[in-house]
Amino acid sequence: QVQVVQSGADVKKPGASVKVSCKASGYTFTDYFIHWVRQAPGQGLEWMGWINPDSGGTNYAQKFQGWVTMTRDTSISTAYMEVTRLTSDDTAVYYCARQAVPGNHFDYWGQGTLVTVSS
Amino acid sequence: SYELTQPPSVSVSPGQTARITCSGDVLPNQYDYWYQQKPGQAPVLIIYEDNKRPSGIPERFSGSTSGTTVTLTISGVQAEDEADYYCQSADSRGTYWVFGGGTKLTVL
């Protein structure tokens, strides 16, 4: 069965970077785009961008261009999302989600990773 | 830019029908999708391509479209339906995704 498992919660200081992992299993990793979505405490869902695990190509929401990087390691079916220059505004639960094929929606989600930015 | 607008909250009594709207200029040209999110959990897809239900989603959940507004309808609301609901769409090239602000459904 399809599973998407993320790394555990993390606490970072302002100005630091954080890298969240998203390990997929139960399907061919390179056949489905992986998206990243974040949710600040008490707030809604915010789309960040996607990575094509096959080519490594990426597409970021304008807001995140230049300080968020999405990568993947096909040998271990894992996608990564790194946020640099963290501020308290980046405190959020970060989700990875698989894009359905065909379709422009998300059929499987990771459990979420809470990143807390605090001095 | 693509924006989707939802009411912040909707309240209904058990057994009644809840309707949650989502408005956006992109909606007449693109499919819309709906997710349910309960506290502390990841979102779950409940409607895709305007009005289709994934396997395992109860029939009481349905979707409809009318111009720039799409509607999630929950017929015969149950206590377990209390959650946040988000609409979502994407541009035609698949390069930009957007979520509505979310609607908190309260079952009185």
Side-chain angles (χ1 to χ4, degrees), chain A residues 4-23:
Chain A
V4 182
V5 180
Q6 299 183 221
S7 48
D10 208 343
V11 179
K12 295 293 185 182
K13 293 189 182 302
S17 300
V18 67
K19 193 171 187 177
V20 179
S21 67
C22 171
K23 183 171 178 59

Side-chain angles (χ1 to χ4, degrees), chain A residues 13-51:
Chain A
K13 293 189 182 302
S17 300
V18 67
K19 193 171 187 177
V20 179
S21 67
C22 171
K23 183 171 178 59
S25 61
Y27 71 96
T28 302
F29 179 62
T30 50
D31 284 350
Y32 297 79
F33 283 26
I34 292 290
H35 294 242
W36 290 89
V37 176
R38 78 175 184 180
Q39 186 171 37
Q43 303 301 307
L45 303 172
E46 183 176 29
W47 177 75
M48 302 177 68
W50 55 250
I51 182 167

Side-chain angles (χ1 to χ4, degrees), chain B residues 50 68 94:
Chain B
D50 296 342
T68 59

Side-chain angles (χ1 to χ4, degrees), chain A residues 39 42-45, chain B residues 6-12 18-20 34-46 57 60-61 72 74 77-87 101-108:
Chain A
Q39 186 171 37
Q43 303 301 307
L45 303 172
Chain B
Q6 299 180 234
S9 63
V10 169
S11 299
V12 296
R19 293 180 178 84
I20 300 173
W34 289 93
Y35 301 85
Q36 177 193 70
Q37 186 182 35
K38 296 184 177 179
Q41 298 182 18
V44 173
L45 179 72
I46 56 174
I57 301 302
R60 64 179 181 273
F61 291 92
L72 171 69
I74 311 172
V77 167
Q78 301 181 6
E80 66 196 52
D81 299 331
E82 187 163 283
D84 293 325
Y85 292 85
Y86 294 90
C87 59
T103 299
K104 180 176 180 57
L105 175 67
T106 300
V107 181
L108 301 171

Side-chain angles (χ1 to χ4, degrees), chain A residues 49-87:
Chain A
W50 55 250
I51 182 167
N52 177 345
D54 188 23
S55 67
T58 54
N59 178 59
Y60 302 107
Q62 186 173 9
K63 173 179 179 177
F64 298 101
Q65 291 178 4
W67 55 289
V68 170
T69 303
M70 298 175 189
T71 56
R72 93 291 190 218
D73 184 339
T74 57
S75 69
I76 55 172
S77 299
T78 300
Y80 302 93
M81 190 277 304
E82 182 176 28
V83 184
T84 60
R85 307 192 301 272
L86 289 164
T87 72

